[in-house]
Amino acid sequence: MDTKSERLRDACDLAAQAFRKINHADFQDIISKLEFCIGSYNFDKNPAGLVEFGYKALGILKEIKKKSPRKVSKEVISSLEDSLS
């Protein structure tokens, strides 16, 4: 079991939850892609999709945090950064 990939999966799940909390239609696409990649990883243990959309989610979340710091917790961003490094 690859613990780095497992941490990335969990970080992507946290990111999807953060996007759901913000509850804006613009984020439906990234939520569905993250959920698909999480399910795909659980099935085949290939983290490629998690890496791709983890980076995309991280970029979006950092932008949201710049504009509205209270909407995104540091925990979500740091868990993505840690698992992608």
Side-chain angles (χ1 to χ4, degrees), residues 66-85:
K66 261 191 236 169
K67 294 175 187 158
S68 307
R70 293 175 162 236
K71 284 191 177 182
V72 180
S73 74
K74 283 183 195 166
E75 177 197 2
V76 174
I77 289 176
S78 64
S79 71
L80 276 171
E81 286 175 335
D82 293 346
S83 58
L84 287 165
S85 63

Side-chain angles (χ1 to χ4, degrees), residues 1 31 81:
M1 190 178 290
I31 293 169
E81 286 175 335

Side-chain angles (χ1 to χ4, degrees), residues 6 8 10 13 16 33 39-40 45 53-54 64 66 71 73 83:
E6 301 283 323
L8 179 55
D10 296 343
D13 187 46
K33 285 188 167 82
S40 175
K45 299 299 180 207
F53 289 101
I64 295 167
K66 261 191 236 169
K71 284 191 177 182
S73 74
S83 58

Side-chain angles (χ1 to χ4, degrees), residues 50-67:
L50 293 176
V51 172
E52 178 183 351
F53 289 101
Y55 276 114
K56 288 182 181 176
L58 180 60
I60 296 167
L61 289 167
K62 281 183 169 182
E63 284 301 309
I64 295 167
K65 186 146 184 81
K66 261 191 236 169
K67 294 175 187 158

Side-chain angles (χ1 to χ4, degrees), residues 10-45:
D10 296 343
C12 285
D13 187 46
L14 274 178
Q17 290 173 35
F19 284 122
R20 271 192 231 98
K21 264 189 211 161
I22 295 167
N23 194 20
H24 195 285
D26 291 350
F27 303 128
Q28 288 308 308
D29 189 49
I30 189 77
I31 293 169
S32 62
K33 285 188 167 82
L34 285 167
E35 288 173 344
F36 175 82
C37 292
I38 291 165
S40 175
Y41 173 78
N42 287 337
F43 179 73
D44 65 14
K45 299 299 180 207

